[in-house]
């Protein structure tokens, strides 16, 4: 089985490549490095079952030979990244998604879209179930990402309904782990970087907003199971253990032994107040639920970031 994975040089994409290779697949990675890094794939350079093509998926996709699966992870994902690249984010969710659906259609391949909990916007239903249509500001700063992903979901369903493409849609909730970019602005690398440097922890707003953090190996396991399933409607993939951002900052401060203070900064516009996946469907349809505890996941992540910031382990 040969699989095309777009967004392969990103945080989740590179872990998904590792998982597919471990499962015996041949993998074609594609990425334009807008937010990813070649470092994330360096360990695969000698693997004969791994090929890499540097390419922007919003441009026509070159003939890559037959593939049995197309996995679409290509998109800036951190708020700092998509606010810096709003047009590229809209283009990759729309034209990029369609180009990849065309590859799946031509090859009669299965297709998986990595969508997001941002489709629920600032949710009025809690925890979020897949049947909730969301509360999204279509013109706010985050709309470039939210509406890009909502379009991506819509065109994925259209290719399934019109052309019978075997599609899957994962709605991913906040995921963390090694290979995140230290400076991508997401809360996990931000707090870990601050802990390692002994700098103040920057909590936005009062820190009362909540998130639920999933370790990357659990997430990839959920995506892998979804890729093999016949479920055509969206499935939440995330960890349902929810905490406030202030609690999370206090937790990182405690486990790191940092004595730096917590400082409060302005809350970004439209920052969702609560986020927690209802994973009943993933449990039932995929037999999946997260296994890695926050303590275990953070220990792995700290170890990775220590090597990156040059702090002794
Ligand atoms: P990431 O930024 O690390 O990875 C995304 C990758 O896509 C990068 O390597 C980037 O260079 C590549 N890319 C972007 N536009 C491209 C284009 N036009 N052509 C080719 N490559 C392109 O982000 P991530 O956290 O690994 O996210 C992967 C996917 O999962 C994204 O689609 C994201 O929306 C989704 N997701 C992630 C999270 C999370 O918490 N990490 C949550 C929800 C959804
Ligand atoms: N956040 C924070 N301090 C930071 C970075 C983020 O308090 O240095 C908050 C942010 O406002 C949000 C949460 O942490 O409420 C998660 O932010 P992230 O950018 O990781 O992802 P989001 O869930 O907003 O997409």
């Amino acid at each position: 089985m040969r699989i095309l994975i777009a967004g392969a040089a990103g945080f989740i994409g590179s872990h998904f490549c590792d998982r597919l290779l471990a499962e015996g697949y041949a993998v074609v990675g594609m990425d334009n490095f807008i937010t990813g890094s070649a470092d994330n794939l360096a360990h695969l350079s000698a693997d004969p079952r791994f090929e890499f093509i540097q390419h922007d998926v919003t441009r026509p996709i070159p003939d890559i030979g037959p593939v049995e699966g197309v996995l679409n992870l290509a998109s800036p994902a951190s708020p700092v990244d998509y606010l810096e690249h709003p047009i590229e984010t809209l283009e990759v969710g729309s034209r990029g998604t369609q180009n990849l659906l065309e590859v799946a259609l031509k090859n009669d391949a299965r297709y998986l879209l990595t969508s997001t909990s941002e489709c629920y916007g600032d949710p009025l239903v809690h925890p979020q179930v897949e049947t909730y249509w969301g509360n999204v500001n279509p013109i706010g700063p985050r709309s470039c990402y939210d509406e890009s992903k909502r379009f991506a979901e819509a065109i994925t369903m259209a290719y399934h309904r019109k052309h019978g493409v075997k599609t899957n849609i994962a709605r991913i909730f906040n995921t963390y782990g090694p290979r995140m970019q230290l400076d991508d602005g997401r809360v996990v690398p931000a707090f870990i970087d601050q802990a390692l440097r002994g700098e103040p922890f920057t909590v936005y707003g009062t820190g009362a907003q909540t998130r639920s953090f999933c370790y990357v190996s659990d997430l990839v396991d959920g995506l892998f199971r979804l890729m093999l399933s016949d479920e055509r409607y969206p499935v939440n993939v995330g960890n349902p253990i929810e905490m406030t951002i202030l609690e999370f900052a206090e937790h990182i401060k405690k486990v790191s032994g940092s004595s730096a203070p917590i400082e409060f900064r302005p809350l970004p516009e439209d920052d969702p107040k609560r986020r927690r996946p209802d994973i009943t469907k993933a449990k039932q349809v995929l037999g999946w639920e997260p296994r890695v505890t926050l303590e275990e996941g953070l220990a792995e992540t700290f170890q990775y970031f220590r090597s990156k910031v040059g702090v002794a382990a």
Side-chain angles (χ1 to χ4, degrees), residues 79-140:
V80 168
D81 286 339
Y82 60 71
L83 294 179
E84 193 182 332
H85 302 290
I87 296 169
E88 289 89 342
T89 302
L90 282 157
E91 283 179 342
V92 75
S94 51
R95 196 172 305 120
T97 297
Q98 184 165 18
N99 285 343
L100 290 164
L101 280 160
E102 283 291 327
V103 176
L105 177 60
K106 275 195 201 100
N107 284 273
D108 192 22
R110 50 177 65 248
Y111 175 91
L112 180 135
L113 172 71
T114 53
S115 185
T116 168
S117 54
E118 283 284 319
C119 287
Y120 302 121
D122 190 8
L124 304 176
V125 168
H126 194 76
Q128 289 78 59
V129 279
E130 290 88 346
T131 47
Y132 177 48
W133 291 353
N135 178 38
V136 172
N137 177 352
I139 53 163

Side-chain angles (χ1 to χ4, degrees), residues 79 82 118 142 174 185-188 190-191 194 202-204 209 211 245 267-268 271-272 275:
Y82 60 71
E118 283 284 319
R142 296 174 89 104
N174 294 65
R186 286 187 268 197
V187 71
V188 175
F191 285 176
Q194 290 159 357
T202 53
V203 168
Y204 298 161
Q209 70 274 29
R211 293 295 186 272
I245 292 301
L267 187 68
D271 198 287
R275 192 183 281 159

Side-chain angles (χ1 to χ4, degrees), residues 178-256:
R179 302 188 197 150
M180 294 184 97
Q181 302 289 320
L182 254 184
D183 58 355
D184 79 4
R186 286 187 268 197
V187 71
V188 175
F191 285 176
I192 292 184
D193 189 40
Q194 290 159 357
L196 293 174
R197 293 177 194 277
E199 290 172 0
F201 296 95
T202 53
V203 168
Y204 298 161
T206 62
Q209 70 274 29
T210 67
R211 293 295 186 272
S212 309
F213 297 103
C214 186
Y215 188 62
V216 65
S217 61
D218 278 336
L219 190 274
V220 167
D221 187 47
L223 296 182
F224 183 70
R225 287 169 189 243
L226 180 59
M227 173 193 118
L228 299 178
S229 83
D230 294 328
E231 178 58 47
R232 305 291 166 228
Y233 288 91
V235 180
N236 289 337
V237 190
N239 191 315
I241 297 175
E242 180 185 11
M243 68 194 74
T244 69
I245 292 301
L246 184 56
E247 285 166 348
F248 186 58
E250 282 161 351
H251 183 78
I252 298 275
K253 184 172 153 89
K254 190 169 138 223
V255 298
S256 66

Side-chain angles (χ1 to χ4, degrees), residues 231-308:
E231 178 58 47
R232 305 291 166 228
Y233 288 91
V235 180
N236 289 337
V237 190
N239 191 315
I241 297 175
E242 180 185 11
M243 68 194 74
T244 69
I245 292 301
L246 184 56
E247 285 166 348
F248 186 58
E250 282 161 351
H251 183 78
I252 298 275
K253 184 172 153 89
K254 190 169 138 223
V255 298
S256 66
S258 168
S259 55
I262 290 174
E263 289 182 357
F264 295 90
R265 300 277 164 84
L267 187 68
E269 196 178 332
D270 292 339
D271 198 287
K273 288 183 249 336
R274 298 188 298 177
R275 192 183 281 159
R276 174 184 171 192
D278 181 321
I279 59 164
T280 308
K281 185 171 178 184
K283 282 184 186 162
Q284 284 170 354
V285 175
L286 311 177
W288 176 87
E289 64 184 313
R291 306 203 171 279
V292 180
T293 65
L294 187 64
E295 285 68 26
E296 292 164 342
L298 282 178
E300 294 289 326
T301 313
F302 259 101
Q303 194 177 15
Y304 173 80
F305 282 125
R306 267 192 204 101
S307 64
K308 289 284 164 189

Side-chain angles (χ1 to χ4, degrees), residues 7-26:
F11 158 51
I12 298 174
S14 63
H15 286 281
F16 209 166
C17 289
D18 291 347
R19 174 68 188 261
L20 292 168
L21 291 163
E23 297 284 343
Y25 293 83

